[in-house]
Amino acid sequence: MELKQSLSTHLEAEKPLRRYGAVEETAWKAEGLGRTQLDIISMAETTMMPEEIELEMAKIQRLREVLVRRESELRFMMDDIQLCKDIMDLKQELQNLVAIPEEEKTKLQKQREDELIQKIHRLVQKRDFLVDDAEVERLRLPGREEGGAPT
């Protein structure tokens, strides 16, 4: 809204609006300006005070921090979901092997059973480390309350 108002104010001014980097403005003309130098062209809106710019920059920085924190949380959640899915798949395969009576199992099935137990164990350890990392990250980043909601 502020931007639209400032643009409309610029458009209504007597002097035509110069756009930063506009192709049609590359050949600047000093005549008709009543000055010996070219106009100074700035990317900043002339209607904003430096204090207003600093406030908006601070708001943007806080928003960026919140978004980075949320992205980190979502990445941890995605990794956790994938690990849980992998663990469940391996457990299902292990249950199928365990359902076979011991005397009917082949040597290959017994080896696979042991492999599955080891894989599940490794994935559970990996998930534990992930949960610990997520907790450390949550405590490290500022702006978090105990409930886990951003401030």
Side-chain angles (χ1 to χ4, degrees):
M1 186 66 159
E2 251 181 83
L3 182 58
K4 284 183 181 179
Q5 287 175 349
S6 77
L7 285 176
S8 65
T9 304
H10 281 299
L11 292 174
E12 293 169 3
E14 292 175 21
K15 190 167 73 169
L17 177 66
R18 290 220 171 171
R19 293 189 184 126
Y20 181 81
V23 176
E24 61 270 7
E25 295 294 329
T26 55
W28 294 1
K29 298 179 177 118
E31 67 271 358
L33 296 177
R35 297 188 181 144
T36 57
Q37 296 179 335
L38 296 175
D39 283 343
I40 297 172
I41 305 297
S42 172
M43 287 178 58
E45 286 184 47
T46 56
T47 59
M48 288 184 78
M49 299 300 294
E51 296 80 20
E52 294 173 315
I53 293 171
E54 288 174 5
L55 281 173
E56 189 169 344
M57 293 278 292
K59 286 179 189 176
I60 291 170
Q61 180 62 29
R62 284 191 300 273
L63 179 60
R64 186 180 96 43
E65 290 169 359
V66 167
L67 292 173
V68 166
R69 194 169 35 248
R70 184 64 179 149
E71 178 189 20
S72 178
E73 290 171 356
L74 291 173
R75 287 185 188 279
F76 279 120
M77 291 168 70
M78 286 175 53
D79 291 345
D80 183 47
I81 290 168
Q82 186 59 48
L83 283 171
C84 288
K85 182 184 174 299
D86 293 345
I87 290 169
M88 293 306 293
D89 291 345
L90 292 174
K91 280 185 174 183
Q92 183 62 46
E93 187 179 344
L94 181 61
Q95 284 178 348
N96 293 340
L97 286 174
V98 169
I100 301 171
E102 200 63 38
E103 58 273 357
E104 294 178 17
K105 289 183 191 174
T106 66
K107 185 177 180 181
L108 189 62
Q109 287 172 324
K110 290 179 183 180
Q111 286 177 342
R112 181 66 182 155
E113 200 175 288
D114 289 338
E115 288 173 18
L116 289 171
I117 290 171
Q118 290 172 5
K119 283 183 180 181
I120 291 169
H121 181 71
R122 281 193 300 269
L123 288 178
V124 168
Q125 282 182 326
K126 190 174 182 179
R127 185 175 178 274
D128 287 345
F129 289 134
L130 179 73
V131 170
D132 289 344
D133 287 347
E135 183 64 14
V136 167
E137 186 73 9
R138 185 187 69 80
L139 295 173
R140 181 184 71 82
L141 291 172
R144 297 303 248 163
E145 297 298 325
E146 266 307 303
T151 57

